[in-house]
Amino acid sequence: MKTIQNETIEKLKTNVKGHVVLPNDPSYNEVREIWNAMIDRKPAVIVQCGEADDVSRAITFARENGLEISVRGGGHNIAGNAVCDRGVMIDLSPMTNVRIDAQKQRAYVEPGATLADFDRAAQVYGLATPVGINSTTGIAGLTLGGGFGWLTRKYGMTIDNLVSAEVIAADGNKIRTSETENTDLFWALRGGGGNFGVVTEFEFALHPVGTEILAGLIVFPFSQAKQVLTQYRKFADSAPEELNVWVVLRKAPPLPFLAETVYGKEVIVLAVFYVGDIVEGEKLIEPLRGFGDAYGEHIGVQPYVQWQQAFDPLLTRGARNYWKSHNFIELRDGALDAIVESASKLPSPQCEIFIGFIAGAANRIPADATAYYHRDAKFVLNVHGRWDDATQDQIGIVWAREFFQVSAPYASAGAYVNFMTEEEGERIAAAYGSNYDRLVQIKRRYDPENIFHLNQNIKP
Ligand code: FAD
């Protein structure tokens, strides 16, 4: 690494519209911190971008000074590649603007916007597109890896709703990309992560979902976990795409609709979401109540934005997090047994295993239509190890890895790049299946020197 001259830093400060943050600045520690407290890296320079051109300036600065580049959107990624040691962190978090064209049903979104920023703006017009289930997540990283949430069954992955993007390439130039412009790049961006450049604007298609949906939780005793899962599997087979139900196994948080005696006990939770005619939705969710003798439930009509934030209190930043994830085409008995067995040994009150249900529109898109490859996945299962104290790291990591191993024989091929930790580099090729070779070709064209390598890296 070259020593950076003071005048070089001063020139950068003068050139950028945003802020340059250095290790001796009072805000440095706060700005470099990301969601997963297991990641503690110290960039030499943080460029808090105020406009797209700041990204070009930061790239040029990094290249001229021989520094590595990391790119931060919402800072949520478990692998922590948003922040680097001794390099330049391109921090997009100040760029949060979301512009809605309600007539065209389009959103134009800056790369530092969170899902909350996005939903808030679109819902003014009763519009939405599928994004994730935790509103503090960044739209940028989520989209570039694929993106799924409550609306995915009906409207596909987040990338299936991406219409165009503006990208700053490795040479610092701005490129517009869509189905008709720079089409290879547009193909690669939809699932290929941050490998091809820095996206400075996303254009999304929006859907008229309205502002109110039917949603909530049903909490069953853990002793009924297997029977609930078995019935869930059958129910999921024929549930219409307007209805989504995810399953969470964890220790009960202090939810107001549960008796205090339930708090801290292992439970199995159905998280229910229905978009459409409410009376019809009520009818459709009724059978879920018969899966067991619930401890309690809280389901009702509520604002879409409220439900989009419902899990935020359990997913705040600052805890230590370690994930392992598999895709599933079907939930075989062995998988259900593995889930129940591991959930009976939760190593901390914050650990959980969840089954995300994504069957529907996303499965109807051919595997080679976008870089995101595993279009056959109907369920994405994530074991979420989470605790506060570094002394618990080993216990939590071992638990997550064990579950990953015992459930592997029942999983389908591949992986979801957005759920992969930093140590899972060997899964990258599998995540892209037969799309991998085309991604390598596109990487060679747009980033031959691999300056964007702090990501789930596709090597040129
Ligand atoms: P960052 O860490 O800022 O970015 C991740 C990576 O993306 C960066 O390292 C960089 O390589 C790249 N990147 C970011 N911005 C840009 C850009 N503008 N241009 C180029 N590259 C860029 N995913 C789902 O699909 N559905 C969910 O429901 C869901 N829930 C989640 C809940 C929690 C609590 C968390 C922590 C994550 C969840 N995720 C979910 C995973 C999420 O999609 C990924 O963590 C995603 O990478 C987060 O994006 P970010 O911008 O916040 O992250």
Side-chain angles (χ1 to χ4, degrees), residues 71 73-77 92 132-134 138 140-142 148 197 199 323 416 418:
V71 181
H76 255 236
N77 196 282
L92 301 161
I133 60 127
N134 172 217
L142 176 118
F148 60 77
V199 177
W323 293 3
Y416 179 41
N418 270 347

Side-chain angles (χ1 to χ4, degrees), residues 157-434:
M157 308 283 293
T158 310
I159 46 167
D160 300 334
N161 296 278
L162 186 66
V163 177
S164 75
E166 179 189 86
V167 183
I168 308 291
D171 60 9
N173 285 323
K174 206 176 276 179
I175 306 176
R176 195 85 219 171
T177 163
S178 68
E179 287 288 8
T180 54
E181 295 162 278
N182 299 299
T183 51
D184 258 9
L185 180 58
F186 190 57
W187 179 88
L189 286 184
R190 287 173 291 165
N195 274 285
F196 305 96
V198 182
V199 177
T200 46
E201 186 187 78
F202 297 88
E203 178 188 358
F204 292 104
L206 297 168
H207 307 276
V209 302
T211 53
E212 301 220 302
I213 46 87
L214 180 66
L217 306 175
I218 312 178
V219 181
F220 294 98
F222 187 70
S223 58
Q224 296 170 7
K226 183 68 187 289
Q227 83 183 54
V228 170
L229 285 168
T230 314
Q231 292 174 91
Y232 168 76
R233 171 173 66 187
K234 190 153 172 257
F235 182 88
D237 244 1
S238 58
E241 289 172 8
E242 288 73 19
L243 179 60
N244 204 340
V245 184
W246 289 23
V247 184
V248 186
L249 295 97
R250 57 168 296 135
K251 291 184 197 267
L255 296 165
F257 61 89
L258 295 176
E260 278 184 29
T261 49
V262 177
Y263 298 173
K265 280 191 178 160
E266 284 90 358
V267 288
I268 176 163
V269 183
L270 300 181
V272 182
F273 171 90
Y274 178 82
V275 59
D277 176 68
I278 299 294
V279 178
E280 180 61 17
E282 296 276 12
K283 270 193 244 156
L284 285 165
I285 65 170
E286 185 51 34
L288 298 171
R289 299 187 169 103
F291 285 9
D293 302 311
Y295 278 139
E297 73 162 66
H298 184 76
I299 296 185
V301 176
Q302 56 181 294
Y304 173 79
V305 284
Q306 184 179 309
W307 179 247
Q308 285 288 92
Q309 299 178 8
F311 296 90
D312 291 0
L314 296 175
L315 297 167
T316 49
R317 76 193 239 172
R320 304 175 74 80
N321 296 271
Y322 182 84
W323 293 3
K324 280 291 200 183
S325 164
H326 283 303
N327 291 336
F328 290 81
I329 296 172
E330 56 176 349
L331 297 172
R332 284 151 61 194
D333 283 340
L336 301 187
D337 290 335
I339 292 170
V340 176
E341 172 65 16
S342 289
S344 71
K345 297 188 277 197
L346 297 165
S348 96
Q350 302 180 65
C351 288
E352 63 181 33
I353 298 176
F354 79 75
I355 305 173
F357 188 30
I358 60 170
N363 301 135
R364 290 191 286 274
I365 298 199
D368 62 358
T370 63
Y372 174 86
Y373 177 73
H374 291 287
R375 293 291 183 170
D376 54 357
K378 295 197 168 151
F379 303 92
V380 180
L381 190 148
N382 195 27
V383 50
H384 182 171
R386 183 175 161 95
W387 50 90
D388 292 319
D389 191 338
T391 58
Q392 285 178 281
D393 284 2
Q394 268 322 302
I395 301 169
I397 290 171
V398 167
W399 170 76
R401 285 185 183 155
E402 263 175 23
F403 173 67
F404 180 77
Q405 292 296 343
V406 291
S407 57
Y410 313 101
S412 49
Y416 179 41
V417 286
N418 270 347
F419 284 0
M420 278 160 48
T421 58
E422 60 179 333
E423 65 191 25
E424 294 191 296
E426 85 290 350
R427 296 183 84 195
I428 296 171
Y432 294 112
S434 58

Side-chain angles (χ1 to χ4, degrees), residues 121-141:
Q123 277 286 289
V124 170
Y125 308 96
L127 298 168
T129 217
V131 290
I133 60 127
N134 172 217
S135 83
T136 57
T137 307
I139 194 84

